[in-house]
């Protein structure tokens, strides 16, 4: 779970807090400079005088300065403070370690990018890294993946052993989904034919898919 700045301040030592203060100040400065450049360009994309702003280097160093246990939360705060644009988010994902990619995925729903970052989610779902798969099926995927891709994301969790509890809005999106129910039944049949156990999580998802959605109530 991502921690707030207040929670981090309570857990980090003085050196780590000072480092985080500087990193967040750099991120905020970049956001301000980028927005000023955009305003000067009369609504254009705007540019900064460097291809990779300094806070992106801080992003990569978060685990070293604040500890691996806090790295996701620190990186998420940096992305939010920088109001990270798609080029930065994409660069940090594509050039990052698995841990750095995970933090990007965990923060996508807080960056106001619309559906433009979906290629990053789709890339993560093509891997067999359970850390990335679990991060990829969070709120951003729930809001933006189309039904076909979302169903395959649920199956990916079952294939890789990621608990379906990681799938944001599972109950909402799975409920009454006949196509998802068919896919889950097929997967269960394949497991049974191969003499393998059917995961309890599959039964959970299937029960939701077989549930009839509640009828909308008419306003009086």
């Amino acid at each position: 779970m991502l921690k707030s700045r207040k929670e981090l301040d309570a857990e980090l030592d003085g050196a780590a807090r000072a480092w985080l203060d500087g990193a967040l100040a750099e991120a905020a400065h970049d956001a301000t400079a980028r927005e000023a450049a955009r305003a000067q360009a009369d609504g254009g994309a705007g540019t900064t005088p460097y291809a990779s702003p300094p806070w992106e280097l801080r992003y990569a160093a978060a685990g070293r300065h604040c500890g691996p246990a806090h790295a996701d939360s620190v990186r998420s705060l940096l992305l939010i403070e920088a109001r990270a644009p798609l080029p930065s988010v994409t660069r940090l994902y594509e050039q990052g370690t698995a841990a750095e990619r995970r933090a990007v995925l965990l923060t996508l729903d807080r960056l106001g990018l619309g559906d433009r970052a979906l290629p990053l989610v789709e890339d993560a779902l093509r891997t067999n890294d359970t850390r990335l798969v679990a991060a990829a099926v969070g709120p951003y995927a729930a809001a933006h993946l189309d039904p076909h891709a979302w169903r395959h994301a649920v199956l990916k969790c079952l294939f890789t052993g990621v608990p379906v509890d990681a799938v944001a809005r599972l109950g909402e999106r799975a409920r009454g989904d006949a196509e998802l129910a068919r896919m889950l039944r097929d997967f269960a049949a394949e497991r049974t034919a191969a003499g393998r156990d059917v995961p309890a999580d599959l039964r959970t998802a299937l029960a939701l898919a077989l549930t009839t959605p509640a009828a909308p109530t008419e306003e009086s």
Side-chain angles (χ1 to χ4, degrees), residues 4 28 70 79 96 98 102 112-113 116 160 182 186 192 196 208:
S4 68
H70 301 303
L79 289 166
R102 180 179 64 243
L113 296 172
R116 294 178 296 147
T160 57
R182 181 195 66 75
D186 288 349
T192 301
R196 303 177 66 186
L208 287 169

Side-chain angles (χ1 to χ4, degrees), residues 125 133 136-137 141 145 148-158 167:
L125 290 172
V133 173
V137 293
L145 279 179
H148 177 77
W150 185 83
R151 293 177 190 121
H152 280 278
V154 174
L155 283 179
K156 183 73 176 193
C157 289
L158 295 171
V167 181

Side-chain angles (χ1 to χ4, degrees), residues 5 19-31 55 58 78 81:
R5 175 68 188 280
W19 182 90
L20 180 57
D21 285 343
L24 292 174
E26 286 183 351
H29 174 77
D30 182 65
W55 70 266
R58 300 269 201 166
L78 282 170
E81 192 70 22

Side-chain angles (χ1 to χ4, degrees), residues 26-158:
E26 286 183 351
H29 174 77
D30 182 65
T32 300
R34 191 178 346 104
E35 290 169 1
R38 185 179 300 117
Q40 253 186 350
D42 295 324
T47 60
T48 55
Y50 31 72
S52 299
W55 70 266
E56 292 188 18
L57 300 178
R58 300 269 201 166
Y59 182 92
R64 186 165 70 253
H65 289 276
C66 298
H70 301 303
D72 280 345
S73 298
V74 169
R75 289 174 176 138
S76 181
L77 287 176
L78 282 170
L79 289 166
I80 294 167
E81 192 70 22
R83 298 188 282 283
L86 186 62
S88 286
V89 172
T90 302
R91 181 164 52 240
L92 291 171
Y93 180 88
E94 292 180 344
Q95 298 179 4
T97 64
E100 292 162 26
R101 291 182 173 202
R102 180 179 64 243
V104 167
L105 295 166
L106 290 172
T107 315
L108 286 179
D109 64 304
R110 307 181 188 196
L111 298 178
L113 296 172
D115 63 0
R116 294 178 296 147
L118 272 177
L120 306 185
V121 171
E122 292 162 352
D123 178 83
L125 290 172
R126 286 192 291 269
T127 74
N128 288 317
D129 187 324
T130 55
R131 298 168 299 173
L132 295 184
V133 173
V137 293
Y140 185 84
H144 297 292
L145 279 179
D146 65 40
H148 177 77
W150 185 83
R151 293 177 190 121
H152 280 278
V154 174
L155 283 179
K156 183 73 176 193
C157 289
L158 295 171

Side-chain angles (χ1 to χ4, degrees), residues 162-204:
V162 171
V164 294
D165 285 350
V167 181
R169 291 167 49 189
L170 176 67
E172 174 188 335
R173 290 204 58 168
R175 193 174 305 276
D177 188 333
E179 178 59 15
L180 177 62
R182 181 195 66 75
M183 294 167 68
L184 292 170
R185 284 195 181 108
D186 288 349
F187 180 50
E190 291 171 8
R191 300 272 301 190
T192 301
R196 303 177 66 186
D197 292 337
V198 175
D201 274 0
L202 187 149
R203 297 190 180 94
T204 298

